[in-house]
Amino acid sequence: MTYDFTSLMERHGKDALAVDGLGSQPGFAPDPPKPGFDVIPMWIADMNFPTVPTIAQAIIKRAKHPAFGYFQMSDEYFDAIAGWQRDRNGVSDIPREAIGYENGVLGGLMSAVAAFAAPGDKILLHSPTYVGFTMALENAGYAIEHSPLKLDEHGVWRMDFDDMDRRLKKHHIHVAVFCSPHNPCGRVWERWEIEEAMEVFRRNDCVVVSDEIWSDILLDGHRHIPTQTVSEDAKRRTVALYAPCKTFNVSGLVGAYHIIYDSYLRDRVEAQASKSHYNEANVLAMHTLVGAYTQEGRQWLDELLAVLSRNVGLMYDYLSSVDGVELARPEGTYMLYLDCSHWCREHGVTIGELEKRGWDVGVAWQDGVMFGMPDSIRMNVALPESRVREAIRRLQEYVF
């Protein structure tokens, strides 16, 4: 393996919420561990690996130039996005005007929603739901209508298309948020599933905001199908949002982008984004993406996915052996989503008490209730394998 995914990276004192934020946001961040235990950061969705070296190289190269004035997005930026989408997702027909900078995926989400819905309107989402969607939409005054995902007989999360259709019609909903791959459930949707979902949205005349920020984090050979590719209608009605931040662990450098083929959708979203002037790019964010979407970035990602697939398998095999804990094996992302309701009932323990058992011994997993399912925990395994194995040891000895 060319890149280092085994060394323990010291993150304390480096502005890392994952380790220095423990105890700082009650109800969101885990508590610090008890004396004698170090932190194994397994909560917020960032990785504990050094990113690909070309990112730092691109930033340093630009930072050596002593002027940081007004700038414009370079041809290299747009070419890097087009090349990445071609090589990773098989999409080769993206015109330059369809690509636009977004100051984070949630910023793009809110611009798109505001362009086609008013505060007080209902927005359709699947549940369990990424907490960022919930906080952003509710903070802006929108109402969320949840269509629950369901586990089938094989333990695979599935959309309920009839339920989606019923809710859209009942509440006259015309904006839906689609998460692909799904966070927190880890589903990498198959083509037929996306086709069926988009047909439901077509029948109900819904603009679809498709969050595809996890589209590069694919486990065990799964393949991402971009929402816009399943039909001409899907291409026309979808605002797709991407970013290098989950892929390369650069959320602190802030920078995402949209792909919007339809000129009417694009005009409305960009007009909405322009109102607050929040959406101006940072020159280093541009160079971050260019540094990430390189040939070396492609090789680094392929090695990362092998590491993450192994880590997910290790933790899944352990947790699925714990009586009373239920979980689906994720196909994408590096997060596992645990239903601990049976375990909690059998042991007379609340989910908060169970979470605290882990926090006390340094297993800094995340309260999953905020994602919309009771008695649940979300868990990040994007760490060196030795730390994943140590977390399993502590869970066996002290928690379950």
Side-chain angles (χ1 to χ4, degrees), residues 100-162:
Y101 177 83
E102 294 290 344
N103 225 352
V105 161
L106 287 178
L109 165 74
M110 297 313 297
S111 293
V113 170
F116 298 101
D121 287 353
K122 287 198 170 185
I123 311 298
L124 186 81
L125 293 93
H126 293 112
S127 62
T129 305
Y130 167 48
V131 67
F133 294 157
T134 304
M135 293 191 298
L137 290 167
E138 291 182 346
N139 186 52
Y142 299 100
I144 296 175
E145 181 69 18
H146 293 284
S147 179
L149 301 177
K150 296 182 177 181
L151 286 169
D152 68 11
E153 65 274 17
H154 304 294
V156 177
W157 290 100
R158 300 287 184 186
M159 290 178 274
D160 185 333
F161 304 113
D162 290 338

Side-chain angles (χ1 to χ4, degrees), residues 19-306:
V19 293
D20 290 337
L22 299 190
S24 66
Q25 301 178 51
F28 180 70
D31 293 340
K34 289 182 175 180
F37 293 96
D38 65 339
V39 176
I40 305 176
M42 308 187 84
W43 64 293
I44 198 164
D46 74 5
M47 297 189 287
N48 293 273
F49 303 119
T51 192
V52 63
T54 49
I55 290 177
Q57 291 165 8
I59 293 171
I60 291 168
K61 180 180 178 180
R62 176 61 184 85
K64 285 181 176 179
H65 190 281
F68 299 92
Y70 294 112
F71 74 101
Q72 61 184 4
M73 306 304 278
S74 65
D75 290 342
E76 191 177 14
Y77 174 83
F78 293 99
D79 291 345
I81 291 172
W84 188 264
Q85 290 292 331
R86 179 194 64 233
D87 294 348
R88 306 305 293 193
N89 294 326
V91 180
S92 58
D93 63 343
I94 306 175
R96 178 168 172 154
E97 63 268 20
I99 301 170
Y101 177 83
E102 294 290 344
N103 225 352
V105 161
L106 287 178
L109 165 74
M110 297 313 297
S111 293
V113 170
F116 298 101
D121 287 353
K122 287 198 170 185
I123 311 298
L124 186 81
L125 293 93
H126 293 112
S127 62
T129 305
Y130 167 48
V131 67
F133 294 157
T134 304
M135 293 191 298
L137 290 167
E138 291 182 346
N139 186 52
Y142 299 100
I144 296 175
E145 181 69 18
H146 293 284
S147 179
L149 301 177
K150 296 182 177 181
L151 286 169
D152 68 11
E153 65 274 17
H154 304 294
V156 177
W157 290 100
R158 300 287 184 186
M159 290 178 274
D160 185 333
F161 304 113
D162 290 338
D163 181 75
M164 291 163 58
D165 187 68
R166 179 181 63 80
R167 292 175 188 274
L168 291 170
K169 286 181 167 62
K170 178 180 178 181
H171 301 288
H172 307 284
I173 296 172
H174 292 286
V175 178
V177 178
F178 189 58
C179 193
S180 178
H182 189 272
N183 175 23
C185 294
R187 269 309 311 279
V188 175
W189 305 112
E190 298 175 50
R191 177 176 289 276
W192 73 266
E193 293 174 295
I194 303 173
E195 290 174 342
E196 185 67 27
M198 293 306 296
E199 175 60 20
V200 171
F201 296 137
R202 184 197 65 78
R203 291 199 306 266
N204 290 279
D205 197 20
C206 270
V207 171
V208 178
V209 185
S210 186
D211 174 6
E212 306 188 26
I213 195 172
W214 289 100
S215 59
D216 295 321
I217 306 297
L218 307 169
L219 307 173
D220 301 313
H222 284 276
R223 178 178 173 79
H224 174 68
I225 306 297
T227 303
Q228 291 165 321
T229 66
V230 301
S231 70
E232 279 301 312
D233 185 79
K235 189 174 185 178
R236 181 184 67 81
R237 73 175 57 254
T238 301
V239 174
L241 300 171
Y242 293 89
C245 63
K246 296 302 179 194
T247 310
F248 293 99
N249 209 42
V250 289
S251 294
L253 289 165
V254 185
Y257 59 94
H258 68 236
I259 297 175
I260 311 175
Y261 290 94
D262 184 82
S263 60
Y264 173 74
L265 258 64
R266 187 166 64 245
D267 287 348
R268 300 317 308 147
V269 172
E270 291 181 349
Q272 188 64 43
S274 73
K275 298 297 186 287
S276 66
H277 295 275
Y278 92 96
N279 208 31
E280 296 296 329
N282 182 304
V283 67
L284 295 184
M286 178 177 71
H287 286 275
T288 295
L289 182 142
V290 172
Y293 286 0
T294 58
Q295 192 56 46
E296 190 169 340
R298 290 158 169 77
Q299 181 181 348
W300 181 92
L301 176 57
D302 288 340
E303 292 187 10
L304 170 73
L305 296 183

Side-chain angles (χ1 to χ4, degrees), residues 40 309 312 366:
I40 305 176
S309 295
V312 165
Q366 187 172 34

